[in-house]
Structure formats: C-alpha cells, structure tokens
C-alpha cells in the first residue's frame, strides 16, 4: 500500500509498504485524511529529537472502519467514521497508575516515536478507535489537535467568571480558545498574525492582541482591571512566550504549558513565589477531550473549513511541507488525502 515517509531531513517521499494484517481485538481502518502537525514539520526540518528516521508521520486522522477482528466489543461497525487515539500507555508508570494515561512516561505517539498512519490502511487495537458518527472523515482529521487544546483548559480548571489568556492561535491554541469560551470564560487571544486573531474572535475570543504591534502586558492588565489573567495557556513553545505567561498571569493564577521551548528559559522566579502560582504541564489528550471536541463539532457552530489550509495527495505532501516551512505562521492544517 502507499505511504508517505520522511527518510531524512528535507527528504519526504511516497513509498510502498505492506498492508497490515488484522488480528483479534483489532480494527482495520481505511485512511481518508491525515493532518500534518508541528512535530511533523520539525521532523521534516531535522529538529525533532524524539524521532528516529526514517519514519511514516501522521497521527491526526480521519478514517472509516474497513474491517473488524474477533474479540472486538459491539459498537464499532464497518463504514463508521472514526478518528484514532494516537498515544500508547504502559499501564505501570506513575502517570498510568494515577489514571492520567495521556502523560504516560513511556508514551509512543504515532508518527513520532513509532511509525504513524500517513498511509492507505492501518490496524489498531479497538481501544484506540474513537467513533465520530455524524462527522465526515475530513473533519475527523481535525479532532486530535483541537483535543490537545481542550485538555489544557481542563488542566486549568477554567470556570465561567475567569479571564483566560491563550498565547498562540495555531490549531492547539485555537482549541483552547474554543473550550475556554464554551466554559463561559472571557478569553484574550494573543498571536503574531492578524488573520489568526480574527479567526480566534469567531471561535469565541472576546479580545485579541497582536504581540508584534501591541504592548501585551499593558493591554492585559488594562482589560482585567489591573489584576492580570486568572489563567494563561502557553501554546507556542518559545522562551519569550513562557516568560510572557508568568508576567501577565495574576496573583494565585494558573499557567498551563503546552508548547515545548527548544532552549532554556530564564524566569524571575520570585514571581512564582510572590504570586503563589500554579504552573502545570498539559500533554496530549484524554478520551474525554476527544469526545468533547466531537460533541462541539457535531453542534455545527464550528466553521471547520477555516482550519484546512490545503488538501493534497500523497505525491504532493513534500511540496506542501516545503511551503509550510517557508511560511509557518500562515498554516493551520495541511491534510493529505488518500
């Protein structure tokens, strides 16, 4: 079967691989759409230390059930639109023992620590199949990145009388904007790109700040009556935005970290103590987050098409990745269609 492979930095190509065999407890899915995410871009650019090349990327998936193996419980049927839970969990580490399997110490994500599913067919344990009846396979490919933003809002324990700042309006950050606004919070979205900020307003942000043209801290303290944000969600992964998050959060606020900074970050640690901050990591997503995104998308209030920057066949995946690398701030999701 056909698959997209990153063989080396800047070397992406279509290869032929063996179609997977179906066993007991497993489900065979026909892949319809797979999204490129930031980790795939970093792999392509040779900046992803967690990846061992060559690798088949892909963990943002829209698929249709093709066949079902024995010993699979009722509820999954042929022809059903689904997405995939792309993370593994060992069941033995501290995270797993505490029920937070999304943060498993030994997690292997599809397309990162193991081959992904940017190919025509895939076989997974039935427990990793997430039904999404009522959604198209294309829309299913957008569920996973949004679920990561939804999970960050859950980690923040956002409630309806709070000010929530979301730094970064990519797919993950936009998921956080959506979820926080659904919970009734007043959301301030921050980004470098005015188009993304305009879109953030359509998804529920009450205020937007362009960090290139405005004084971020000054504006946030003005909006919040001098108190600062109750919650700041960092969805960029740069030293500047990590420092910004600690600066603009209010006393006794919560800072939620999604992005990975590629270099060390220097903080005024006195702010950690003086503000008595809760600083929390947020990794991947739980099944409940996937279900929450699916519920939101089924309501029909989400202009999904605005998230799709391009749809390309496998043979044009490399060219699409080159365009994304040239203008990373202008892309939400590139979908590869099989």
């Amino acid at each position: 079967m056909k698959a997209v492979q990153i063989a080396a930095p800047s070397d992406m190509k279509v290869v032929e691989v063996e179609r997977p065999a179906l066993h007991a407890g497993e489900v065979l899915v026909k892949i319809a759409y797979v999204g490129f995410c930031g980790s795939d871009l970093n792999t392509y650019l040779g900046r992803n230390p967690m990846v061992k090349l060559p690798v088949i990327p892909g963990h943002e998936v829209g698929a249709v059930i093709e066949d079902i193996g024995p010993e699979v419980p009722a509820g999954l049927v042929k022809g059903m639109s689904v997405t995939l839970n792309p993370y593994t969990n060992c069941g033995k580490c501290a995270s797993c023992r505490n029920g937070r399997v999304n943060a498993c110490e030994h997690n292997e994500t599809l397309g990162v620590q193991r081959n992904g599913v940017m190919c025509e067919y895939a076989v997974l344990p039935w427990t990793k199949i997430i039904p999404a009846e009522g959604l198209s396979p294309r829309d299913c490919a957008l569920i996973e990145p949004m679920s990561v933003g939804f999970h960050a809002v859950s980690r923040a324990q956002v409630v309806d009388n709070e000010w929530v700042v979301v730094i970064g309006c990519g797919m993950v950050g936009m998921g956080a904007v959506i979820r926080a606004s659904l919970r009734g919070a007043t959301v301030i979205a921050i980004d470098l790109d005015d188009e993304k900020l305009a879109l953030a307003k359509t998804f529920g942000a009450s205020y937007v700040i362009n960090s290139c043209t405005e004084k971020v801290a000054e504006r946030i303290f003005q909006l919040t009556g001098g108190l600062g944000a109750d919650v700041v969600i960092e969805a960029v992964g740069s030293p500047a935005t990590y420092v910004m998050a600690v600066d603009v959060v209010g006393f006794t606020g919560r800072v939620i970290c999604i992005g990975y900074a590629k270099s060390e970050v220097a903080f005024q640690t006195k702010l950690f103590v003086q503000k008595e901050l809760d600083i929390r990591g947020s990794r991947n997503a739980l099944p409940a987050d996937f279900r929450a995104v699916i519920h939101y998308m089924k309501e029909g209030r989400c202009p999904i098409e605005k998230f799709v920057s391009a749809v390309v066949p496998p043979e044009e995946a490399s060219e699409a990745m080159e365009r994304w690398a040239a203008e990373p701030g202008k892309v939400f999701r590139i979908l590869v269609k099989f």
Side-chain angles (χ1 to χ4, degrees):
M1 66 177 182
K2 186 182 298 184
V4 174
Q5 183 188 75
I6 302 175
S10 302
D11 181 10
M12 180 183 290
K13 57 189 177 183
V14 177
V15 297
E16 286 291 325
V17 299
E18 187 175 349
R19 178 168 162 166
L22 182 62
H23 301 101
E26 295 179 335
V27 175
L28 172 69
V29 296
K30 182 175 176 57
I31 305 297
Y33 294 86
V34 186
F36 277 126
C37 81
S39 63
D40 299 323
L41 178 60
N42 284 326
T43 298
Y44 179 76
L45 295 173
R47 299 174 184 170
N48 192 341
M50 294 184 290
V51 168
K52 183 179 180 181
L53 299 176
V55 68
I56 296 172
H59 59 259
E60 301 176 0
V61 186
V64 176
I65 293 179
E66 180 84 359
D67 201 1
I68 298 171
E71 301 177 22
V72 173
L76 298 175
V77 297
K78 295 180 182 180
M80 177 184 285
S81 290
V82 299
T83 190
L84 309 179
N85 183 330
Y87 326 119
T88 65
N89 57 283
C90 69
K92 299 178 181 179
C93 71
S95 298
C96 290
R97 286 162 62 100
N98 290 330
R100 289 162 64 176
V101 295
N102 58 296
C104 174
E105 181 181 356
H106 307 291
N107 167 66
E108 294 184 350
T109 299
L110 287 171
V112 185
Q113 294 94 345
R114 57 187 171 131
N115 275 330
V117 291
M118 196 165 282
C119 51
E120 293 182 274
Y121 294 91
V123 167
L124 282 92
W126 70 267
T127 55
K128 298 298 181 181
I129 306 295
I130 300 177
E133 287 186 287
L135 298 181
S136 70
R138 186 205 68 171
D139 293 354
C140 287
L142 303 172
I143 293 170
E144 192 273 345
M146 289 179 64
S147 73
V148 176
F150 272 47
H151 182 69
V153 173
S154 294
R155 287 283 292 141
Q157 298 174 297
V158 170
V159 295
D160 60 1
N161 64 341
E162 294 186 308
W163 287 86
V164 176
V165 169
V166 178
I167 305 174
C169 292
M171 275 293 293
V172 171
M174 205 68 80
V177 168
I178 292 167
R179 188 56 163 163
S181 66
L182 287 173
R183 290 193 175 194
T186 303
V187 180
I188 305 171
I190 302 173
D191 201 271
L192 305 170
D193 185 87
D194 284 330
E195 291 181 20
K196 288 185 175 179
L197 290 172
L199 189 57
K201 292 201 78 169
T202 70
F203 283 116
S206 298
Y207 304 94
V208 296
I209 301 174
N210 187 316
S211 56
C212 279
T213 59
E214 300 181 71
K215 296 179 179 179
V216 173
E218 182 177 308
R219 181 88 190 283
I220 288 173
F221 283 104
Q222 179 187 51
L223 289 170
T224 60
L227 298 177
D230 299 289
V231 173
V232 179
I233 297 174
E234 199 288 331
V236 176
S238 77
T241 51
Y242 262 77
V243 171
M244 179 191 296
V246 173
D247 286 344
V248 303
V249 72
F251 276 63
T252 68
R254 287 102 70 200
V255 176
I256 311 301
C257 306
I258 309 176
Y260 284 85
K262 304 300 186 296
S263 57
E264 293 184 358
V265 184
F267 289 107
Q268 291 289 337
T269 54
K270 68 177 183 180
L271 296 179
F272 295 9
V273 177
Q274 288 179 342
K275 293 184 177 183
E276 198 174 51
L277 298 180
D278 289 340
I279 299 178
R280 306 174 185 175
S282 182
R283 184 182 181 191
N284 300 330
L286 287 165
D289 303 307
F290 282 83
R291 292 194 296 270
V293 172
I294 292 168
H295 176 75
Y296 166 70
M297 293 173 72
K298 282 183 177 180
E299 289 183 332
R301 293 186 291 157
C302 178
I304 296 296
E305 66 282 351
K306 293 185 181 294
F307 282 143
V308 181
S309 303
V311 178
V312 300
E315 292 77 11
E316 296 177 17
S318 181
E319 182 182 342
M321 188 65 87
E322 289 177 8
R323 292 196 300 269
W324 188 14
E327 284 192 295
K330 294 296 183 182
V331 171
F332 276 107
R333 275 303 177 270
I334 296 169
L335 300 182
V336 177
K337 180 180 180 180
F338 284 90

